[in-house]
Amino acid sequence: MASRNPSERDCQLSDARPQVLLIDDSRSVVGLLKNRIEIASPARVLTASTLAGARELLEEAPNVAVAVAGLCLADAPNGEVVDFLHTQKVPVVVLTGNMDEQVRETILAKRVIDYVVKRQGDEVDYVVELVQRLCGNHELKVLVVDDGRTSRLMIRRLLEAHNYQVLEAEDGVQALEVLEEHPDVTMVLSDYQMPRMDGGELITRIRRRWTRNDMAIIGLSAQDDPTLSARLLKAGASDYLTKPFIEEEFYCRVHQNADLVRSIRAMRDASRRDYLTGLYNRRYLHDTGAKLYANARRGNLHLVAAMLDLDHFKHINDTYGHQAGDLALQHVAKLLRQSVRASDMIARYGGEEFCVLLANGDAGQPALVLERVRQVVADTPLDYDGQRIEITLSIGATGELGEGFEAMLDAADHLLYEAKAGGRNRVVLGADTAAG
């Protein structure tokens, strides 16, 4: 019989989560970092103690997001592992046991993402934060505004090395056009001296629409003017860098500002999300639903409100335990996200009850969508500790606007009870809903 280790390893290598390659000859460092990274991020950590081991892993797991590598290994004492990882186009964070100017220059000459000195008190936290950032930066858009093509390309290269999405503009006027097309930009790096609209005016214009909590702005300039930084900060810049800058300072400023915006967004998102399922919560449903309802009243969109309830949920809790019940709710939430459009709204209403708001559906579409949702849930049982748990939904939905958004939800709830009374695992629509 084959041992378990190879199959477990194969399973790890085929995992769909972001993968981090950790290479170091210190077992204590590797163990600590692996544990901390996997707790703090969605990444799976693959480990090796030698360059040969890293080669083998990369042959089987080519989609590594970032490598954290010791500079001196038994079979690669002079940083050869970093050179190898560059040939594989894997971003590298270097671990080194000592640091002086010569070592620093050697490391930076290899164009690594960053370096961390072992035995410093905060090195583990720093590496964990860095890995989290590199695994998440691909979701962040950064706009580089500079009339100098060489400068734009240099900054673009630095940002893309850390997995940011990068947009470009030649001046302030073009930058505003780009922001209209991409309002979800996280950060703007803008030069000061540009034709048509300088950096100061651009920052002022941006701040009329995006607050410091919504978007970070870093002003850049090679001007020898001690008052310029103060003027740009007062105009609304979050930070300022004098050109030319060293890469380490650039990355520190960029990461600090990106992390701040990301943290604020996360706090905002947490306040409107259900902690268990990740869906919108009841409060956010009522706030947003009222706005959608007002638009529907004005004739700008067609709105359908649907209430959904897990059938026999108490039986799942009583038979398998509350942990299984929680997993069942998460399972259904995932299926709901997969079964409706991104523009539709899904919320956990309370307990085992959910609400879906369908907007701008074509005639007959709500009936098709909700029947698909019911069927997908019924056809996708939950696998809990080797046990198959069948789950079904009862659904009630209405497109009748009535006297207000609360009245729509009440009407959908009454239709849900009809579905329950009619035998469960079915969709009951208001007379107006099927016609869209």
Side-chain angles (χ1 to χ4, degrees), residues 333-347:
K334 178 181 177 181
L335 295 176
L336 291 177
R337 282 192 291 263
Q338 294 172 348
S339 302
V340 303
R341 300 173 304 177
S343 57
D344 296 324
M345 183 177 181
I346 317 168

Side-chain angles (χ1 to χ4, degrees), residues 195-422:
R196 297 204 293 175
M197 181 188 297
D198 66 28
E201 177 63 20
L202 172 61
I203 291 169
T204 300
R205 296 277 192 95
I206 291 174
R207 285 296 178 233
R208 290 174 185 170
R209 179 172 174 183
W210 289 275
T211 69
R212 294 174 188 265
N213 291 339
D214 299 319
M215 181 188 296
I217 306 174
I218 300 179
L220 307 171
S221 180
Q223 251 186 248
D224 186 19
D225 182 350
T227 69
L228 181 57
S229 60
R231 284 189 279 127
L232 292 182
L233 291 169
K234 286 187 175 182
S238 312
D239 211 336
Y240 178 82
L241 266 173
T242 301
K243 298 194 292 188
F245 45 75
I246 61 173
E247 292 186 10
E248 291 152 290
E249 182 183 12
F250 173 84
Y251 282 130
C252 283
R253 300 293 181 92
V254 167
H255 294 333
Q256 285 172 0
N257 283 279
D259 288 349
L260 179 60
V261 175
R262 188 164 18 207
S263 296
I264 291 170
R265 288 180 178 178
M267 286 188 289
R268 285 177 176 172
D269 201 46
S271 70
R272 59 189 188 186
R273 296 280 181 180
D274 170 58
Y275 75 96
L276 179 64
T277 63
L279 300 178
Y280 289 115
N281 58 29
R282 185 168 179 168
R283 176 181 176 181
Y284 188 75
L285 168 72
H286 284 283
D287 290 344
T288 303
K291 295 174 184 175
L292 290 172
Y293 177 87
N295 270 328
R297 267 291 179 205
R298 290 192 290 268
N300 297 330
L301 56 85
H302 180 257
L303 182 65
V304 170
M307 299 298 293
L308 306 81
D309 193 85
L310 273 68
D311 297 324
H312 304 297
F313 183 68
K314 184 176 184 298
H315 174 75
I316 294 176
N317 277 330
D318 291 345
T319 304
Y320 303 99
H322 288 282
Q323 183 179 9
D326 288 348
L327 290 174
L329 293 171
Q330 293 171 338
H331 176 71
V332 170
K334 178 181 177 181
L335 295 176
L336 291 177
R337 282 192 291 263
Q338 294 172 348
S339 302
V340 303
R341 300 173 304 177
S343 57
D344 296 324
M345 183 177 181
I346 317 168
R348 184 182 179 195
Y349 199 71
E352 64 270 27
E353 196 168 17
F354 299 87
C355 179
V356 176
L357 301 182
L358 305 171
N360 281 338
D362 298 330
Q365 187 186 53
L368 295 174
V369 170
L370 295 172
E371 175 57 27
R372 182 175 71 239
V373 167
R374 184 203 66 77
Q375 190 69 52
V376 165
V377 172
D379 291 345
T380 315
L382 171 66
D383 182 6
Y384 176 67
D385 197 22
Q387 303 176 85
R388 181 185 174 97
I389 303 179
E390 304 285 347
I391 302 173
T392 61
L393 287 177
S394 296
I395 303 174
T398 182
E400 182 178 355
L401 295 180
E403 298 179 359
F405 180 62
E406 298 293 335
M408 277 194 87
L409 295 183
D410 287 343
D413 215 31
H414 281 100
L415 294 165
L416 167 62
Y417 283 115
E418 287 187 29
K420 292 281 189 183

